[in-house]
């Protein structure tokens, strides 16, 4: 099964997530195809890329493939993990990437969407970051990413509650750049992408790289980094982590004990 479709319309590339039976979850197989698709568009000379789900989707992506998370006592989101590599690939991609969003964006898929440069959604779009629902400790680079975009207190609320927010609320807090009717979503996205493509491509590419460098956050001391790793380990070594993964696979609410 082809998990990702690609299309080139002049200098505008499209990548469509294509695994509806698994709600476009970010499995290693889909991630590999997505990275290859981005690289093909760069080689073909695309000056901007639109990342989307098929038209009329109820789920843009359900996020990380929970079945691929490691067993307890291992960091579920290490630096070399495919999902983490994907986020860096999108953030460092030399051309602007536009997330065109219909339906739900859950868990790690929200981090992927926010790794894109511009987010355009319609009224069906909803957003939730859900590691607290399954007992997964999020990594510091991801937390910094959310803080940079949403601000500290809003990022805390999204992570602590794990509750979805609507498209209008996402627009209000700056998660979305634009919210448009579903019938106008594709046309609006193409028009905005065309404005980017008509500008000087080298300038746009260099400005994107400067934004990336300027928002990486302050350098952590070695002591702070070690402390972060220690507190994260206390989660993925816990009984709650095991329970969260087990409950997800058994399709039941988890029974967390706080230990």
């Amino acid at each position: 099964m082809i998990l990702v479709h690609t299309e080139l319309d002049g200098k505008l590339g499209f990548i469509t997530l294509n695994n509806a039976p698994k709600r476009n979850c970010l499995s290693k197989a889909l991630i590999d195809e997505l990275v290859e698709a981005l690289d093909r568009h760069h080689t073909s000379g695309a000056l901007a890329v639109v990342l989307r789900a098929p038209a009329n989707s109820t789920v843009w992506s359900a996020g990380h493939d929970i079945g691929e998370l490691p067993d307890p006592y291992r960091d579920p989101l290490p630096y070399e993990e495919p999902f983490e590599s994907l986020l860096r690939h999108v953030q460092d991609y030399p051309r602007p990437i536009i997330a065109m969003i219909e339906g739900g964006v859950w868990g790690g898929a929200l981090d992927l969407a926010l790794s894109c440069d511009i987010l355009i959604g319609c009224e069906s779009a909803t957003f939730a970051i859900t590691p607290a629902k399954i007992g997964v400790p999020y990594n510091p680079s991801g937390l910094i990413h959310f803080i940079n975009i949403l601000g500290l207190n809003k990022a805390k609320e999204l992570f602590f509650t794990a509750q979805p927010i609507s498209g209008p609320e996402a627009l209000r807090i700056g998660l979305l750049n634009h919210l448009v009717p579903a019938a106008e979503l594709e046309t609006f996205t193409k028009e905005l992408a065309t404005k980017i493509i008509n500008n000087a491509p080298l300038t746009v590419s260099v400005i994107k790289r400067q934004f990336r460098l300027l928002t990486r956050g302050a350098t952590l001391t070695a002591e702070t980094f070690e402390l972060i790793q220690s507190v994260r380990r206390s989660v993925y070594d816990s009984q709650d982590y095991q329970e969260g993964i087990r409950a997800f696979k058994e399709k039941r609410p988890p029974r967390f004990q706080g230990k």
Side-chain angles (χ1 to χ4, degrees):
M1 179 179 179
I2 298 174
L3 302 178
V4 166
H5 282 306
T6 59
E7 178 187 353
L8 186 63
D9 181 4
K11 292 294 184 180
L12 177 59
F14 287 87
I15 298 175
T16 304
L17 306 177
N18 184 49
N19 192 7
K22 294 198 70 175
R23 300 183 295 187
N24 293 328
C25 72
L26 300 173
S27 63
K28 183 181 184 305
L30 186 145
I31 287 171
D32 288 344
E33 289 192 24
L34 179 50
V35 169
E36 290 172 6
L38 285 168
D39 291 343
R40 282 198 304 274
H41 275 318
H42 182 48
T43 301
S44 70
L47 297 181
V49 174
V50 174
L51 179 60
R52 61 174 298 176
N56 304 313
S57 293
T58 57
V59 178
W60 191 80
S61 173
H64 207 111
D65 188 340
I66 303 303
E68 294 185 358
L69 287 176
D71 293 331
Y73 314 117
R74 287 182 54 202
D75 189 340
L77 296 171
Y79 182 85
E80 69 278 2
E81 200 262 346
F83 173 70
E84 293 299 315
S85 297
L86 170 64
L87 297 184
R88 291 192 298 274
H89 198 81
V90 170
Q91 292 164 9
D92 292 330
Y93 193 71
R95 303 300 184 192
I97 300 177
I98 301 170
M100 189 179 89
I101 297 170
E102 290 182 271
V105 184
W106 307 333
L110 181 51
D111 209 347
L112 172 60
L114 289 176
S115 294
C116 298
D117 301 290
I118 296 172
L119 282 73
I120 304 171
C122 66
E123 53 266 76
S124 70
T126 60
F127 306 87
I129 183 70
T130 54
K133 279 192 174 293
I134 52 176
V136 174
Y138 219 66
N139 59 3
S141 63
L143 294 178
I144 290 172
H145 189 209
F146 277 83
I147 292 168
N148 284 340
I149 294 172
L150 303 177
L152 178 60
N153 284 0
K154 199 63 188 181
K156 285 180 179 179
E157 181 182 342
L158 290 182
F159 273 91
F160 293 169
T161 67
Q163 293 300 301
I165 62 171
S166 66
E169 174 66 3
L171 179 68
R172 188 187 71 79
I173 66 174
L175 191 156
L176 284 175
N177 292 80
H178 300 278
L179 183 68
V180 299
E184 301 172 16
L185 181 61
E186 189 162 344
T187 298
F188 183 93
T189 302
K190 287 182 178 178
E191 289 176 351
L192 188 145
T194 299
K195 293 174 183 177
I196 294 172
I197 290 169
N198 287 339
N199 289 326
L202 181 59
T203 298
V204 172
S205 180
V206 167
I207 289 174
K208 173 173 176 173
R209 179 153 176 77
Q210 289 180 84
F211 276 128
R212 167 73 165 137
L213 293 170
L214 289 167
T215 56
R216 277 183 170 171
T219 302
L220 297 176
T221 66
E223 181 181 5
T224 301
F225 178 79
E226 289 173 1
L227 177 58
I228 288 172
Q229 291 301 96
S230 175
V231 297
R232 292 185 67 249
R233 188 178 301 113
S234 70
V235 175
Y236 61 76
D237 285 353
S238 71
Q239 295 177 32
D240 275 358
Y241 178 78
Q242 299 178 56
E243 166 64 9
I245 302 303
R246 186 164 51 244
F248 181 88
K249 292 178 179 178
E250 295 174 1
K251 295 181 170 45
R252 61 170 174 81
R255 296 183 289 271
F256 294 129
Q257 303 295 319
K259 56 185 180 180

